[in-house]
Amino acid sequence: MNKKKIIVPLVLLLAIAVYFVFFYKNKNLRYIPENADAVVLIDIKKVTGQYLFSLATHPSHWSGSKAKGKSSGSLKDSGIRIPDFLQIFHLKDTKFSEWYSILELKDSQKFITFLKKQNFVDKGNNRFQKDQLFIMINGSHCVAGTSDLAFEKIQKNILKTSSNPVLDADQFIHNTAGSISFISGKKIQNFSIELHDDEIEIKNNSNPEILNAVASKLQNRNHFLELELDKENIRNFSRFFNKSIADSSQAIYFKATADLEQVNDTIISYEYDDNFNEVEKKTFQKITQPNYKLDIKSDDPQKTWKYFQSKKWVNSENQFTAIPFQPNKISQNNDDVAIQSTRKPITLSPRLQENYIFIRNNALLYSSLKTLGNTEKRIISDIDYVLYGNRSKDYWVKIKAKNGELPLILRW
């Protein structure tokens, strides 16, 4: 009888502990600025649970996981207070590549030691940098970003004020590993991020059949890049580059096909001989170049042509200079403007009458990305293809990895 009296409370205490450790989540989001126009949330406990389950079902990875943890250092011992939801945000009127996050620190000195072990460079004034990752420490907080341009503004508007509103995670995420949300005034458009064994899906609906049908057709082809976009999608994507280009160009449909090829590039330099005579020197190197064809259908092709000329994108030889990969030729027809590389012409793939962007991995692509580290190259080389799709109000992005013995969460 006494044993039962002891066991029941212990089981109850264990159940409460398991709930708080693995299931209870603080849903208060304190570090999203009022001027954020995009937010990415990562459910740390859900991702951790997914990782532990994958690890438990793949015993062959146990020893490798331990060795990796010892060599790279553990975030739990880094001085960071691990949040239930990692909050990453993009500020309005900043570059698309600028993303930031604020984390609480338990021990700032331990965190500095951790950064140095990870080969971050001390830039002074509690700022650190490693490649394109920037860190600023401010008391019991740190700001991390892909840029440091907004650090002062973030420090002033969030870390030094108590007026920043506290948001609820339920506004952005619903029982998935993560989410990405676009904010416009009081309107929030949410997209779930789901991590599977060999793919990552970002979507705002639960019906993958349309995207899978498009993916199946495109996989039977062998082009590096294929895309087909209508007027609305052209307008959406042009916001990342030039907000006025979609309307000014009068474009209502855009299709492109591209392949990659390795070619010999000649570099001409000059040096002087012993008599100070100029001597031409030629060296050769292999570079990766695309062969491509683009078709831009327009309400008024003449206006499209004039717009390109006004931007000085068409030279006297009818080359489209806005594309850095030369040579090419631009021409105007009755209802469209076509741009085609001339070194090795290719034809457009058949139309699917869908909105999509399909990028197939190619060894020539990641081998030419010399600025990336070994980890980034390994991840990119493991990707099979990336596919964006849209129909009506439904959107999808799929990052498909190559088949492997381990699920993505253990591979990457």
Side-chain angles (χ1 to χ4, degrees):
M1 188 70 178
N2 291 334
K3 287 183 178 180
K4 288 184 179 179
K5 287 183 179 180
I6 296 172
I7 290 173
V8 171
L10 284 176
V11 171
L12 184 60
L13 286 172
L14 180 62
I16 293 172
V18 168
Y19 170 74
F20 277 97
V21 171
F22 293 102
F23 299 103
Y24 173 77
K25 298 166 189 174
N26 182 351
K27 296 186 177 182
N28 291 332
L29 308 179
R30 302 180 181 277
Y31 303 116
I32 298 177
E34 287 186 283
N35 62 333
D37 58 8
V39 173
V40 175
L41 288 188
I42 305 297
D43 187 334
I44 298 297
K45 287 190 175 180
K46 188 172 185 66
V47 172
T48 301
Q50 197 169 342
Y51 174 81
L52 293 174
F53 177 80
S54 297
L55 193 61
T57 54
H58 294 84
S60 61
H61 192 64
W62 292 354
S63 59
S65 178
K66 290 178 182 178
K68 184 178 177 182
K70 288 180 180 179
S71 63
S72 61
S74 171
L75 279 175
K76 287 185 178 180
D77 301 322
S78 66
I80 294 176
R81 193 180 305 278
I82 305 296
D84 291 339
F85 292 94
L86 179 62
Q87 306 159 48
I88 305 168
F89 55 86
H90 179 271
L91 298 175
K92 193 181 297 182
D93 299 323
T94 61
K95 294 179 180 178
F96 175 70
S97 59
E98 292 182 33
W99 293 82
Y100 301 92
S101 183
I102 298 174
L103 293 167
E104 296 178 358
L105 299 178
K106 293 185 291 186
D107 188 327
S108 59
Q109 288 303 315
K110 185 180 281 189
F111 182 57
I112 291 173
T113 302
F114 172 79
L115 291 177
K116 290 179 179 179
K117 286 183 179 179
Q118 301 300 314
N119 299 318
F120 276 79
V121 177
D122 190 341
K123 309 293 284 188
N125 295 321
N126 282 329
R127 296 198 180 197
F128 301 83
Q129 181 183 352
K130 181 181 180 182
D131 300 325
Q132 287 304 116
L133 182 59
F134 299 81
I135 302 286
M136 178 183 71
I137 297 175
N138 184 287
S140 60
H141 296 84
C142 83
V143 183
T146 58
S147 168
D148 61 354
L149 295 177
F151 276 2
E152 300 298 335
K153 188 183 295 184
I154 293 170
Q155 185 179 27
K156 178 182 177 182
N157 295 342
I158 300 182
L159 299 182
K160 291 187 176 180
T161 180
S162 58
S163 61
N164 195 61
V166 178
L167 302 177
D168 191 321
D170 288 338
Q171 294 176 261
F172 304 94
I173 190 169
H174 304 285
N175 199 34
T176 57
S179 69
I180 180 167
S181 305
F182 298 96
I183 304 170
S184 179
K186 294 184 178 181
K187 183 180 178 182
I188 301 175
Q189 187 175 19
N190 296 324
F191 297 81
S192 65
I193 301 175
E194 299 179 17
L195 177 60
H196 304 294
D197 284 351
D198 60 357
E199 65 185 28
I200 299 171
E201 284 188 316
I202 303 170
K203 57 188 180 181
N204 67 343
N205 68 91
S206 58
N207 181 15
E209 293 180 6
I210 298 171
L211 189 72
N212 290 339
V214 173
S216 179
K217 292 176 183 177
L218 293 170
Q219 281 181 287
N220 291 329
R221 304 173 182 176
N222 58 1
H223 294 296
F224 163 67
L225 168 69
E226 294 187 63
L227 67 85
E228 221 175 307
L229 301 175
D230 63 11
K231 185 176 182 178
E232 186 62 30
N233 277 270
I234 294 170
R235 181 178 286 111
N236 289 339
F237 279 101
S238 68
R239 291 172 186 166
F240 297 121
F241 307 102
N242 186 319
K243 293 181 179 180
S244 65
I245 188 173
D247 296 326
S248 301
S249 66
Q250 305 284 311
I252 59 172
Y253 172 81
F254 179 44
K255 181 164 177 58
T257 302
D259 292 322
L260 294 181
E261 184 183 18
Q262 195 171 65
V263 298
N264 291 319
D265 183 43
T266 304
I267 302 174
I268 298 177
S269 59
Y270 295 91
E271 57 185 26
Y272 295 91
D273 61 17
D274 295 338
N275 297 319
F276 296 99
N277 295 314
E278 192 175 63
V279 179
E280 182 180 278
K281 183 181 179 181
K282 290 184 179 181
T283 55
F284 301 92
Q285 65 175 0
K286 289 187 178 296
I287 61 172
T288 300
Q289 287 276 10
N291 302 309
Y292 53 87
K293 185 169 185 178
L294 290 66
D295 183 45
I296 305 168
K297 293 198 180 298
S298 170
D299 285 328
D300 190 336
Q302 285 190 344
K303 281 189 176 180
T304 304
W305 186 270
K306 288 180 180 178
Y307 172 72
F308 288 163
Q309 287 182 320
S310 70
K311 301 295 290 185
K312 300 188 186 311
W313 290 343
V314 180
N315 64 18
S316 59
E317 298 176 352
N318 281 346
Q319 292 179 330
F320 190 69
T321 58
I323 296 177
F325 304 106
Q326 300 289 334
N328 64 34
K329 204 77 172 177
I330 182 169
S331 60
Q332 175 191 338
N333 301 312
N334 291 332
D335 63 347
D336 65 359
V337 173
I339 305 166
Q340 181 163 359
S341 58
T342 57
R343 187 175 47 81
K344 189 176 180 179
I346 64 173
T347 58
L348 287 172
S349 56
R351 293 181 64 170
L352 295 183
Q353 303 293 345
E354 297 282 358
N355 287 299
Y356 64 88
I357 299 174
F358 181 81
I359 303 173
R360 187 192 307 275
N361 204 349
N362 188 307
L364 293 177
L365 174 66
Y366 58 81
S367 64
S368 63
L369 300 175
K370 297 179 181 179
T371 58
L372 297 181
N374 291 330
T375 301
E376 290 83 0
K377 284 184 178 180
R378 177 176 54 79
I379 291 174
I380 292 175
S381 67
D382 197 35
I383 294 173
D384 189 11
Y385 65 80
V386 178
L387 174 61
Y388 159 84
N390 159 247
R391 181 183 286 186
S392 186
K393 299 296 182 182
D394 295 332
Y395 294 86
W396 306 265
V397 173
K398 178 185 285 190
I399 303 171
K400 178 71 171 66
K402 297 172 183 176
N403 294 329
E405 294 181 1
L406 297 173
L408 277 183
I409 201 166
L410 298 182
R411 276 189 267 170
W412 293 3

